[in-house]
Amino acid sequence: MATLEKAKLKGLEGAATIEIMFNPNGLSLSRSMEIEQSPGARTDSGQNKTSFKHPNPYTLKVGNLMFDTYETGKSVLPYIQKLSKAVEFTKKGDGKHQRPPIYLFTWGKHEYLRAFVKDFNCQLALFLPDGTPVRAKVDLTLEQVELPKPTSDQGAKNPSSTARQNSKPLFT
């Protein structure tokens, strides 16, 4: 019999790994292209001229993540707080200019996306008679980030056609 593999946000660069209590029932992956359309500029056939700027990062939406502690009678909030910290990384003072924690979304042997948590949405759905929340539904939106590349020049460079052809695919 196969072992059930849990989905995880594997912490990178010092971030803590977050294990999902119940696996999602689906993943939604999207990517868009940044374009610019000049209202006054037209092609010979009369269509708006479109300038293709660049592809935006991949976005992975993971919805209906269930966390349930009803049978233990303990609060579900400690599980939820681990996820909420992914979007509450900025603090006053020294942490003010830190970047968000970086994760690798994995599920079993599949590594889907190296990303930060862009959006966190939690709905508390079941409570004990004393008001203790014991079930929560969480939706996450993760946005792709690349590995940091230390360079002396911090300006953005356009990728060559060779670099684009040799780029690593999203799913490994």
Side-chain angles (χ1 to χ4, degrees), residues 32-35 52-56:
S32 63
M33 176 68 71
E34 190 70 31
I35 61 171
F52 298 96
K53 301 290 187 177
H54 56 81
N56 291 318

Side-chain angles (χ1 to χ4, degrees), residues 51-107:
S51 297
F52 298 96
K53 301 290 187 177
H54 56 81
N56 291 318
Y58 279 97
T59 299
L60 179 65
K61 291 187 180 191
V62 187
N64 294 317
L65 297 175
M66 297 302 296
F67 293 84
D68 191 315
T69 57
Y70 178 77
E71 291 189 15
T72 66
K74 295 182 180 178
S75 175
V76 74
L77 291 179
Y79 294 95
I80 303 310
Q81 288 167 343
K82 290 178 185 177
L83 289 166
S84 70
K85 285 182 182 179
V87 291
E88 296 172 359
F89 64 94
T90 9
K91 299 176 182 169
K92 296 178 182 175
D94 293 339
K96 189 166 131 182
H97 299 290
Q98 291 179 353
R99 55 187 265 175
I102 305 300
Y103 300 96
L104 178 62
F105 183 80
T106 65
W107 192 352

Side-chain angles (χ1 to χ4, degrees), residues 1 29 31 49 74 103 118 141:
M1 186 170 164
L29 184 69
R31 188 172 198 185
K49 282 194 175 181
K74 295 182 180 178
Y103 300 96
K118 183 175 182 179
T141 301

